[in-house]
């Protein structure tokens, strides 16, 4: 028996080189990357998916990493952080391959492309499947 599970990871951070570029209550992190940890209690199996809220993305060179691996998910081109347009929120979904997640602590990291736009990272939701520990 399989079960589906998820975690909501709240970033609510402003990445960029200009604190005044976006009027937001989100904390300004500057040019730093931002990383959060989440916990998976049982061995994940098969593929999952990730949804992510981003604001004001105008360039495509920002990077997303899961457990220190580039987030490519088997597709030829990384379009996950593609343009949202000026002053717009976008929610995007990306399939995760079966090796992206692990039982225990997992990390997700957003790296802002050097010299590019100021962006907001909202909430990220990671979904996965695990074998039910109390089932057959």
């Amino acid at each position: 028996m399989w079960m589906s599970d998820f975690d909501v990871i709240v970033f609510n951070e402003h990445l960029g080189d200009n604190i005044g570029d976006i009027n937001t209550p989100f904390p300004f992190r500057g040019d730093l990357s931002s990383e959060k940890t989440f916990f998976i209690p049982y061995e994940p199996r098969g593929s999952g998916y990730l949804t992510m809220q981003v604001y004001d993305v105008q360039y495509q060179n920002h990077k997303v990493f899961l457990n220190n691996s580039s987030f490519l998910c088997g597709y030829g081109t990384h379009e996950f952080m593609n343009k949202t347009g000026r002053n717009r929120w976008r929610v995007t979904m990306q399939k995760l391959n079966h090796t992206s997640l692990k039982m225990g602590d997992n990390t997700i990291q957003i790296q802002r492309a050097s010299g590019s736009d100021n962006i907001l990272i909202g909430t990220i939701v990671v979904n996965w499947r695990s074998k039910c520990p109390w089932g057959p």
Side-chain angles (χ1 to χ4, degrees):
M1 180 183 294
W2 295 91
M3 66 180 193
S4 180
D5 209 346
F6 68 96
D7 200 351
V8 177
I9 303 130
V10 179
F11 277 77
N12 289 352
E13 294 177 346
H14 176 186
L15 300 180
D17 60 359
N18 181 359
I19 194 169
D21 189 55
I22 301 174
N23 184 17
T24 180
F26 291 178
F28 182 69
R29 301 261 309 156
D31 282 332
L32 300 174
S33 64
S34 185
E35 182 175 295
K36 303 286 182 182
T37 301
F38 62 99
F39 185 78
I40 296 179
Y42 306 109
E43 190 68 37
R45 302 276 189 221
S47 60
Y49 64 95
L50 182 145
T51 58
M52 181 168 139
Q53 290 177 306
V54 293
Y55 180 83
D56 206 26
V57 175
Q58 298 171 56
Y59 300 96
Q60 296 180 320
N61 296 331
H62 309 293
K63 295 185 178 163
V64 180
F65 293 86
L66 277 172
N67 295 320
N68 298 317
S69 293
S70 181
F71 189 81
L72 294 175
C73 305
Y75 298 109
T77 318
H78 187 310
E79 295 294 331
F80 191 52
M81 288 283 283
N82 64 1
K83 297 177 183 183
T84 62
R86 184 115 181 109
N87 301 320
R88 291 191 181 162
W89 278 104
R90 178 173 190 249
V91 176
T92 184
M93 178 186 284
Q94 183 72 35
K95 184 177 178 181
L96 301 175
N97 66 40
H98 69 282
T99 61
S100 296
L101 301 171
K102 63 184 181 182
M103 185 169 75
D105 286 333
N106 289 262
T107 59
I108 185 160
Q109 182 184 56
I110 311 300
Q111 286 185 350
R112 178 184 164 270
S114 179
S116 68
D117 51 348
N118 285 263
I119 61 175
L120 300 181
I121 307 299
T123 302
I124 296 176
V125 179
V126 180
N127 294 264
W128 66 88
R129 291 174 33 124
S130 297
K131 186 163 181 150
C132 187
W134 56 86

